[in-house]
């Protein structure tokens, strides 16, 4: 057979009926393919994050070994590993989510992508991939702690896995926030730094301001407040709030400040659903507007 | 397919009164254009003419302010809307502006992803990706990270991303911008190969040469308005002027003025042009003389004969296709500028 005949056969047009799914089927297929593609692209990040988490576990292991009196209960032993866990979660969410929207504008990769897939589908696929990876890295952290707990105490407290469940729910909230920041800003690094500043400082400052204005409203609108439940869950029913009077009961400075410690389980679930929905819808709208402008 | 075969039934895309405004600025104004099956249509215009906006509207990336785009599906022209864009645009491959890739992926990964996004069957994707990459001569690079690729190679992968899902219509926005001449030639050859395979190609460029070398029909856009649209041959006839590119050996560097005067005296009566002023000029960039003539092949032969009989050592004597359109293009653009100013 001649080369041209071979080439003709090789490039025979695709029969249109073979083309896969349209409508909702196409949307699901595009999301699935995006999850797989984005997963492959971020696999190295997952490995790196697991290594960082393991370093933290080793650090706390050394601290526990050097202690004069190790915790008596397995639960306390687990809690000793969760002291910086909220911070680790923020880092994980920022690491995986900081680039989720902004990278297509910073690197101009959107020029190739957008005619092929809608922004909504792309965002869902990427979010699922990155949320899954971030969840895996946090689960590995808990699994390592569980292993050490079992070695030392021959038991693993069930409440630990419930705490992991709250951690993953909180991760969803933080990742939604980082996704919004990724939509708002124009560079990956800026989105990551701004997210970190907000999560570490701005929200805490707002909580302090509320406290000093003698507000008694539960700060359900403060994103980082929800993270308290992860460690508080080990000692439920935890104290919801504490009223303090640091300047004494008499005189001009007789003021009571309410410090909120832990959200309720119901408040946490409802708050996370509402909060993350608002953040993700906002991120999508910004994504769409940004792309239309570019 | 030639011009003569075009009928209402061969139209695959129709722009009807297509208009796009951004605030008070009109990027595309009442564009009426149709693209027939199997032809290469070149959209030509200076930067900011509205070419990319037109292509983005075609890709449904931005919506027209007024007017519609119709795309043939199952024998009828359907208006492009949000509800039918998935299946109508499956038949298209788009390359809008500069392609940029994630650095840590390979052509195999990114092309497979793009093919499947547009509904190409998963079972056939692996082979399809290998076939198109081989067609572009990049098979050795299929599993290498794109971060190691040159700009030309990235552009080629960008073009492959437009055809990997086997569309009928390929839309390319400035595909050769910023590429070296070799890569530009390779891309032009690739486009002609696609045409042979029966693909319809809609290509935009501000480079006249790029368009005139491949396009069957040229549409000229300026300030968002279509100022000319016809086959290359018809536009050439309208231009009535053409350029012969002449290189002499050795190059008369020190006597350019004298040689130009001598050439003018010899060829002016043979050019078929009424005005005999400035018909020969020297182009310092190409290091060649340019002789204006009426495009008539007989006159072209006479000029060559005259030069050889007068002992000119002619090392190159050619009529670049772009030369035929250049004056017309510049005149039309200038006319557009004047109208705009008025």
């Amino acid at each position: 057979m001649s080369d041209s005949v071979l080439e003709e056969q090789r490039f025979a047009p695709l029969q249109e009926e073979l083309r896969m799914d349209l409508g909702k089927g196409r949307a699901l297929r595009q999301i699935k393919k995006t999850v797989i593609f984005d997963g492959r692209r971020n696999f190295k990040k997952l490995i790196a994050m697991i290594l960082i988490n393991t370093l933290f576990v080793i650090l706390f292991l050394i601290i526990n070994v050097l202690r004069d009196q190790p915790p008596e209960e397995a639960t306390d032993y687990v809690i000793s590993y969760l002291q910086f866990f909220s911070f680790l979660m923020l880092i994980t969410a920022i690491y995986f989510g900081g680039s989720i929207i902004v990278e297509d504008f910073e690197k101009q990769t959107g020029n190739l992508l957008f005619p092929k897939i809608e922004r909504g589908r792309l965002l869902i696929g990427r979010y699922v991939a990155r949320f899954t990876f971030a969840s895996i890295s946090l689960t590995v952290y808990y699994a390592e702690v569980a292993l050490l707990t079992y070695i030392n105490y021959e038991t693993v407290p069930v409440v630990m896995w419930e705490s992991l469940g709250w951690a993953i729910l909180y991760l969803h909230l933080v990742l939604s926030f980082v996704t919004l920041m990724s939509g708002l800003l124009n560079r990956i690094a800026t989105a990551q730094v701004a997210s970190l500043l907000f999560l570490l400082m701005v929200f805490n400052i707002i909580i302090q301001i509320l406290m000093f204005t003698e507000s008694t409203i539960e700060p359900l609108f403060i994103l980082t407040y929800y993270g308290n439940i992860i460690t508080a869950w080990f000692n439920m029913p935890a104290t919801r709030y504490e009223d303090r009077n640091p300047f004494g009961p008499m005189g001009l400075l007789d003021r009571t400040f309410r410090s909120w410690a832990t959200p309720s389980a119901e408040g946490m679930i409802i708050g996370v659903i509402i909060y993350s929905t608002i953040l993700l819808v906002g991120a999508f709208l910004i994504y769409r507007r940004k792309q239309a402008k570019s | 397919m030639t011009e003569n075969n075009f009928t209402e039934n061969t139209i695959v895309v129709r722009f009807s009164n297509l208009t796009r405004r951004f605030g008070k600025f009109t990027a595309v104004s009442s564009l009426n254009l149709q693209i027939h099956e199997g032809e290469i249509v070149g959209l030509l215009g200076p930067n900011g003419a509205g070419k990319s906006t037109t292509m983005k509207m075609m890709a449904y990336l931005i919506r027209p302010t007024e007017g519609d785009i119709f795309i043939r599906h199952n024998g009828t022209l359907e208006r492009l809307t949000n509800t039918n864009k998935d299946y109508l645009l499956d038949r298209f491959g788009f390359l809008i502006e500069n392609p940029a890739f994630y650095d840590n992926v390979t052509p195999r990964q990114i092309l497979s992803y793009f093919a499947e996004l547009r509904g190409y069957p998963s079972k056939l994707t692996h082979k399809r990706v290998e076939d198109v990459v081989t067609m572009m001569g990049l098979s050795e690079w299929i599993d290498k990270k794109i971060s190691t690729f040159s700009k030309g190679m990235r552009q080629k992968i960008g073009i492959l991303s437009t055809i990997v899902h086997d569309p009928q219509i390929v839309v390319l926005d400035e595909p050769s911008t910023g590429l070296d001449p070799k890569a530009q030639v390779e891309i032009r050859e690739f486009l002609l190969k696609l045409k042979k395979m029966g693909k319809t190609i809609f290509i935009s460029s501000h480079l006249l040469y790029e368009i005139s070398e491949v396009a069957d029909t040229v549409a000229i856009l300026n300030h968002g308005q279509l100022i000319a649209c016809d086959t290359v041959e018809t536009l050439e006839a309208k231009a009535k002027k053409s350029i012969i590119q002449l290189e002499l050996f050795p190059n008369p560097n020190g006597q350019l003025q004298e040689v130009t005067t001598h050439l003018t005296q010899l060829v002016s009566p043979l050019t078929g042009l009424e005005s005999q002023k400035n018909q020969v000029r020297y182009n310092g960039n190409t290091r060649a003389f340019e002789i204006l003539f009426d495009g008539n092949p007989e006159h072209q032969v006479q000029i060559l004969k005259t030069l050889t009989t007068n002992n000119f050592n002619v090392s190159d004597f050619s009529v670049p296709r772009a030369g035929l359109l250049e004056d017309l293009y510049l005149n039309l653009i200038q006319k557009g500028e004047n109208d705009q100013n008025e």
Side-chain angles (χ1 to χ4, degrees), chain B residues 14 24 54 62 89 128 132 139 155 160 164 184 204 220 251 307 315 322:
Chain B
R14 171 178 280 162
K24 286 180 181 172
T54 304
I62 50 177
L89 295 183
R128 172 71 184 172
V132 295
S139 51
Q155 189 75 12
L160 289 182
V164 69
Q184 287 185 12
S204 85
I220 301 176
N251 194 301
L307 290 171
S315 62

Side-chain angles (χ1 to χ4, degrees), chain B residues 306-319:
Chain B
T306 307
L307 290 171
T308 48
T309 51
N310 282 278
N311 298 323
F312 278 95
N313 290 329
V314 177
S315 62
D316 183 41
F317 185 91
S318 57
V319 180

Side-chain angles (χ1 to χ4, degrees), chain B residues 5 13 46 51 65 70 72 83 89 103 117 147 160 218 227 231 242 244 247 256 264 273 295 329 342:
Chain B
N5 301 118
V13 179
K51 306 186 295 293
T65 313
F70 295 90
R72 186 167 298 282
T83 49
L89 295 183
D103 285 341
L117 283 182
S147 55
L160 289 182
V218 176
I227 52 176
T231 61
S242 180
I244 292 168
E247 283 182 46
L256 289 175
T264 307
L273 300 175
Y329 174 60
E342 279 171 23

